[in-house]
Amino acid sequence: MSTTTSHTPESEGPTEGPARTGRLIQNEATTEIPVHLLFRDEPVPSTTVPLGPAVVGRRQGTGEQPRLRRPAAATTRPVPQVDPALVERPARVLPGAVGVLAGACGLAGCVVVSWWAGELPSLATRALRLPSYAGAGLGPAQWAAYTGAAALGLFGFGGLARGRTGRAWVLDLFGRYRGTVRRTGLMWVNPLLLRRRVDVRLRHWRSEPMPAADGNGVALRVVVLVVWRVRDTARATLGVDDHETYLRECVEAALVRVPVELPGSARGSVGVAGDALTRLVAADAAPVGVEVFSVQPVRVEYAPEVAAAMTRRRIAALDAQQRATVLTSVVDSVEDTVTRLTMRGLVELDDYERKVLVKDLTVAFCSGRGEPAP
């Protein structure tokens, strides 16, 4: 009787699974993440980086490292700023009769002092019907009276001003704005104030040819018509060095940003460009007290350096468009003629005869329209 004895090696370990494939990268290292850490609810401490880009926290359960977010670049243009305290306000003026009266009193005072001092000629004394007086001479009292009367006369007559419709006076005393005068007629203004005349009427300005570009970047020369007026005389006069020069530069800057198309172009119209120019120029000129109503291109042409080439290109495009239109019309006419002949049973055509008929009709129609046969 034979006995079968199963022998199990004592040193043999557990059964191994399928063999692992070799590593693609020799220095590969893998770190195992415990399962309970993937679904934890503990808050992730935020990291703050002073004076740097914003830090975005990692997403829960992904093991993702914190990322840096670049601050978005500013997309809005800075708006021109003027001193907010510089706003037009009415100046204090007096009626012109006050200045005339003060000047007349000063002149009369000079005459009386001259008579008092005995310096008035006898002819003037008789003309003014003044009593005869020997005169005390020019002493300190007479000189003081002379000075006062002359100052009153100069102050009265020197402050007279005439206000006109559509004109304004901007008053300035030692560099400080003292108000604006929009009154008309004769008035009296302090002669110590510096006066600056400003035209507040509705005005228009036709520019010289300015550089511009169309939607494809082709150089153009544009003449624009700007309708504008001064709304705030204080800001227009004191806020900038020259508001007319400032307005001209605003128009030039707007032409750089807005594409202008030639009249009749399929890509756009002059009216669209004019509306965009009006909005841009009005926004830039408003802070300095200039109100812009319209900026419209009145003449658009190619720049001299590209005028010849672009004119030839434009003529070629128009010619190609005309040829395509004529060819489409001829093909439609030939197709309609052949269809009518065959459907009404007037002729019976095979393929060869049909091709010959189509060719002959095409030549005839093209010759009738003044176009060579294709």
Side-chain angles (χ1 to χ4, degrees):
M1 180 178 182
S2 62
T3 303
T4 304
T5 304
S6 62
H7 176 70
T8 303
E10 297 178 358
S11 60
E12 186 176 1
T15 306
E16 296 180 357
R20 182 185 178 187
T21 59
R23 295 178 178 176
L24 297 178
I25 303 176
Q26 297 299 328
N27 59 350
E28 177 185 0
T30 304
T31 303
E32 295 183 357
I33 303 176
V35 177
H36 69 280
L37 293 180
L38 297 177
F39 302 96
R40 63 181 181 180
D41 297 331
E42 298 177 3
V44 178
S46 60
T47 305
T48 304
V49 181
L51 300 179
V55 177
V56 181
R58 58 188 177 185
R59 291 176 290 182
Q60 297 288 340
T62 61
E64 182 181 357
Q65 297 298 324
R67 297 166 295 159
L68 299 180
R69 176 182 296 171
R70 298 288 182 182
T75 57
T76 58
R77 297 186 300 110
V79 179
Q81 296 293 336
V82 183
D83 184 6
L86 188 61
V87 180
E88 179 181 333
R89 62 178 183 271
R92 297 178 181 179
V93 296
L94 297 177
V98 176
V100 174
L101 180 61
C105 291
L107 182 60
C110 290
V111 173
V112 172
V113 173
S114 299
W115 172 80
W116 179 28
E119 300 295 332
L120 191 66
S122 58
L123 183 60
T125 303
R126 289 193 301 268
L128 297 176
R129 298 180 181 181
L130 295 176
S132 299
Y133 181 69
L138 292 175
Q142 286 78 11
W143 281 114
Y146 258 130
T147 304
L152 180 61
L154 293 177
F155 206 74
F157 288 125
L160 292 177
R162 184 184 65 171
R164 299 174 57 185
T165 303
R167 301 290 196 277
W169 294 96
V170 177
L171 306 183
D172 181 9
L173 179 61
F174 304 118
R176 183 179 179 183
Y177 174 62
R178 303 299 296 177
T180 300
V181 180
R182 288 180 178 260
R183 295 176 55 178
T184 58
L186 187 63
M187 71 190 85
W188 184 85
V189 183
N190 187 350
L192 299 179
L193 297 176
L194 177 63
R195 310 173 192 176
R196 301 184 183 183
R197 186 184 295 272
V198 182
D199 192 344
V200 295
R201 295 175 296 178
L202 186 66
R203 304 174 62 184
H204 70 278
W205 167 59
R206 184 185 178 95
S207 71
E208 64 280 358
M210 294 184 174
D214 62 3
N216 295 328
V218 179
L220 302 175
R221 290 294 183 270
V222 181
V223 177
V224 297
L225 180 65
V226 184
V227 180
W228 62 284
R229 72 174 179 181
V230 174
R231 184 179 184 87
D232 192 312
T233 57
R235 293 190 172 186
T237 306
L238 305 177
V240 290
D241 187 20
D242 186 357
H243 61 274
E244 294 184 6
T245 303
Y246 180 82
L247 178 61
R248 182 181 300 108
E249 293 175 352
C250 288
V251 173
E252 293 180 358
L255 284 174
V256 174
R257 290 176 284 172
V258 176
V260 181
E261 303 296 341
L262 289 173
S265 176
R267 292 188 299 269
S269 62
V270 179
V272 175
D275 295 341
L277 288 173
T278 303
R279 289 194 300 269
L280 290 176
V281 177
D284 290 339
V288 297
V290 176
E291 186 177 7
V292 178
F293 297 96
S294 174
V295 180
Q296 295 294 332
V298 294
R299 190 177 69 189
V300 183
E301 58 187 10
Y302 290 112
E305 59 270 16
V306 299
M310 295 307 299
T311 301
R312 290 195 299 268
R313 179 179 177 182
R314 188 176 180 87
I315 293 176
L318 293 176
D319 185 62
Q321 182 179 2
Q322 182 181 3
R323 286 175 178 270
T325 303
V326 171
L327 182 59
T328 302
S329 177
V330 168
V331 171
D332 292 342
S333 300
V334 171
E335 181 183 6
D336 183 63
T337 302
V338 174
T339 302
R340 288 185 177 184
L341 290 174
T342 55
M343 292 187 64
R344 294 182 180 182
L346 299 178
V347 293
E348 294 183 0
L349 303 174
D350 56 10
D351 293 340
Y352 176 76
E353 292 174 342
R354 183 185 297 274
K355 291 179 181 180
V356 172
L357 179 60
V358 168
K359 181 178 179 180
D360 294 340
L361 290 176
T362 303
V363 171
F365 286 152
C366 288
S367 300
R369 295 176 179 269
E371 295 290 338

